[in-house]
Amino acid sequence: MREYSPKRRTALVLTGSGASGAYHAGVLRALDESGVKIDLVVGSGVGAVGAAFAAVAGGSRLYGPGGFWDGVGWDSLYRLQPALRIALLLLATAFGVFLFPVGLALLAGLLFPLVLIVDVVAPGVPSRLIEGLWAAPSVLRAPYLAALAVPVFALSVLVVVYLALGWARSGRRLAESFETPLDARQARKRLAASLWEVARGSAISASPPSEPELGKRYVALLAENLGQPGFRELILRAADLETGSVLPFLWLHDAARAAFASTRTRGGRSRAEGVPAAVDLREMGYDTLLFDAVMTGLLPPLAAPVRRVAFPRGGIFAGETHRLTDATLAAGCGISEAVAAGAEQVIVAAGAPYSASPPPRRRGLRAAADGVLAALERQAVEGDVRGAERTNRMVETLGHRTEDGGKAWQDPATGRVYRDVPVYVIRPDRRAFGPLELDGAQDPATEVLETPEDLLEAGYRDAYRMFVEPVVGASPEPRRREALEPEEGQAVEL
């Protein structure tokens, strides 16, 4: 397999879910700091967030002070639905009223030794006090029953009003309110504010515009500055629940766009000219979908709501509404998309550790969803990396030497040309918490609380340890052309 060379088209693939985005931020910080040349960024799962910032020279807004992953936690991204919070508060109030007599009984049991002592000091006083308390049930009966019934009645009214308003507002879409107990509006606000800091340019307003307008401003910024330092081509992967496959959102140069289209001859095609089974952000009207694609990275399946996207008329899925979510739910991690877009070498940053260990919490709905996401995250990266290694071995065995020093092999059945593409993987040896443990968790081995900030630092160190120092630092210095080839007409000593 060919050695790493900064002259080749290089793709950075960010893959994972949930807290793995902090690891991506640390890797990107190390690559930016060391000056590694990146031509294409592919984001899968929460990697779509990191890819969106990396494509427009916005890495500092991702990993720097005040950036997206600075001080992030569960409450800063997700909360329970407002109606569910009110319902739980009313239920807790009713339950507290119900247990109030039990609390009084426990208090009386704790005070009973003191009553005995008082009876010894002042005989007859506790008896007179207890006789007065016998009248309490008849006095407190009505207030107690009212306090017990009011929360239940209020909860019933809330349910009826919520259903009535939901039906009047959305009709048959009422069922969407019951898809998940979580509300991702906090994540949407945080992402919109951070992306606007990168894409707003000379705009005075500090508050982000509407999501379609934000997408248009972002795509315009990328189109105007592509080729400048820090600006890269972009592919964002999302899982489409309607088609059951990955739906890429891409901004590529003409040559890479044509290469990508030629390798994706299957799947849904655009009714107009475009890339098959992919959303081309360069097409008119599709730039408004950029924020939808990035937002899917913060919607882990089984935990957060899906993103419903209405496609413009005249293009791919014309006029249809599709449900999109985190691409971790679909197959692959983005290596195949990077190769299809012409990448000659790929750097993969994955939050899934090499050695899996039992998580600190393994019970409850959140722990179950966390375990499923961790398994999907691991399968996605390991399956794609193994597939790339098999292709490289096949090309090495059957392929022929190309002009650039590599090898290529053409499949006689399909006519597709496969090339050897070096894949460099950056991932942690182990980690103490799963994708949904955004508040961190205690490492059972060290009994130290690890947080996403620690995962960011781990990504920074691993990038240097696994790629920058052993690969970039070990690559030979490019020699000048005149040192390799004699000038025309110059005598060469034999």
Side-chain angles (χ1 to χ4, degrees):
M1 190 172 62
R2 292 179 295 176
E3 295 180 349
Y4 169 83
S5 173
K7 293 184 177 181
R8 300 193 187 100
R9 181 171 170 81
T10 306
L12 172 64
V13 175
L14 305 175
T15 179
S17 186
S20 297
Y23 188 82
H24 301 158
V27 172
L28 184 61
R29 174 187 164 198
L31 298 182
D32 288 346
E33 184 178 277
S34 56
V36 175
K37 183 183 75 69
I38 299 173
D39 304 286
L40 168 67
V41 187
V42 181
S44 182
V46 74
V49 177
F53 285 91
V56 291
S60 60
R61 296 300 307 170
L62 185 70
Y63 50 74
F68 183 84
W69 290 105
D70 184 26
V72 73
W74 180 266
D75 291 337
S76 61
L77 298 180
Y78 310 107
R79 292 182 181 178
L80 291 176
Q81 296 280 3
L84 183 59
R85 291 202 301 268
I86 297 175
L88 291 176
L89 178 62
L90 291 175
L91 285 175
T93 303
F95 192 65
V97 173
F98 177 74
L99 292 180
F100 183 71
V102 178
L104 290 180
L106 292 175
L107 181 61
L110 294 175
L111 296 178
F112 185 72
L114 297 179
V115 173
L116 295 179
I117 295 175
V118 172
D119 188 62
V120 172
V121 176
V125 174
S127 300
R128 289 192 294 271
L129 292 176
I130 293 175
E131 289 177 359
L133 293 176
W134 284 116
S138 59
V139 176
L140 299 177
R141 183 186 303 116
Y144 176 75
L145 293 177
L148 190 62
V150 166
V152 178
F153 177 75
L155 179 60
S156 303
V157 172
L158 173 66
V159 172
V160 173
V161 171
Y162 181 76
L163 293 177
L165 291 178
W167 179 261
R169 184 172 57 249
S170 57
R172 60 188 180 87
R173 298 178 58 184
L174 177 62
E176 295 177 10
S177 304
F178 302 96
E179 290 178 344
T180 175
L182 292 183
D183 182 7
R185 277 181 289 186
Q186 291 295 114
R188 190 170 70 241
K189 292 179 182 178
R190 188 182 183 95
L191 178 61
S194 298
L195 272 183
W196 179 238
E197 288 296 323
V198 177
R200 74 179 192 175
S202 59
I204 300 176
S205 175
S207 58
S210 64
E211 293 169 2
E213 181 63 25
L214 177 57
K216 292 176 64 176
R217 294 290 296 269
Y218 177 96
V219 173
L221 174 68
L222 181 59
E224 292 172 1
N225 294 277
L226 203 58
Q228 300 297 322
F231 288 84
R232 295 116 176 185
E233 296 170 71
L234 177 65
I235 298 178
L236 303 174
R237 301 173 80 247
D240 188 348
L241 299 185
E242 313 307 329
T243 62
S245 61
V246 171
L247 180 62
F249 293 72
L250 50 93
W251 204 110
L252 300 172
H253 278 309
D254 292 335
R257 181 171 176 265
F260 190 90
S262 65
T263 60
R264 300 180 66 86
T265 56
R266 299 179 181 179
R269 284 184 173 272
S270 170
R271 296 182 183 177
E273 291 186 2
V275 181
V279 177
D280 191 352
L281 297 174
R282 295 172 54 179
E283 296 292 332
M284 182 66 66
Y286 284 89
D287 50 0
T288 59
L289 304 181
L290 183 279
F291 187 85
D292 296 295
V294 180
M295 185 61 198
T296 60
L298 298 176
L299 303 176
L302 308 178
V306 297
R307 182 82 173 181
R308 285 175 167 81
V309 177
F311 290 92
R313 297 186 179 276
I316 185 173
F317 308 128
E320 298 179 7
T321 299
H322 285 213
R323 295 168 297 169
L324 305 182
T325 187
D326 186 333
T328 306
L329 188 63
C333 69
I335 296 178
S336 58
E337 283 83 359
V339 174
E344 298 174 296
Q345 53 194 12
V346 178
I347 308 167
V348 179
Y354 278 106
S355 59
S357 58
R361 286 181 281 270
R362 287 186 286 177
R363 290 174 177 82
L365 292 176
R366 186 164 154 186
D370 190 75
V372 171
L373 282 179
L376 292 174
E377 187 181 46
R378 175 177 296 276
Q379 291 176 6
V381 62
E382 292 183 352
D384 243 20
V385 170
R386 284 196 298 265
E389 291 174 349
R390 284 195 300 269
T391 301
N392 285 338
R393 287 196 298 268
M394 179 185 66
V395 172
E396 186 68 25
T397 304
L398 304 175
H400 60 276
R401 187 68 61 181
T402 58
E403 295 180 356
D404 60 354
K407 280 192 172 184
W409 175 72
Q410 186 175 21
D411 188 350
T414 62
R416 182 178 175 181
V417 177
Y418 294 87
R419 301 180 182 276
D420 59 331
V421 179
V423 177
Y424 307 96
V425 181
I426 305 171
R427 56 191 297 197
D429 294 330
R430 60 182 302 275
R431 63 188 261 189
F433 55 94
L436 295 182
E437 299 288 352
L438 293 168
D439 292 326
Q442 189 178 54
D443 189 349
T446 61
E447 297 185 353
V448 174
L449 178 65
E450 292 192 6
T451 63
E453 285 80 4
D454 298 318
L455 196 58
L456 191 152
E457 290 299 323
Y460 178 77
R461 294 191 302 267
D462 289 345
Y464 271 100
R465 178 173 61 88
M466 297 180 180
F467 180 73
V468 175
E469 294 175 354
V471 177
V472 179
S475 61
E477 291 290 334
R479 291 178 291 176
R480 296 172 55 189
R481 182 177 178 84
E482 54 267 22
L484 296 175
E485 300 179 4
E487 296 182 0
E488 186 176 356
Q490 180 180 356
V492 179
E493 181 178 358
L494 299 178

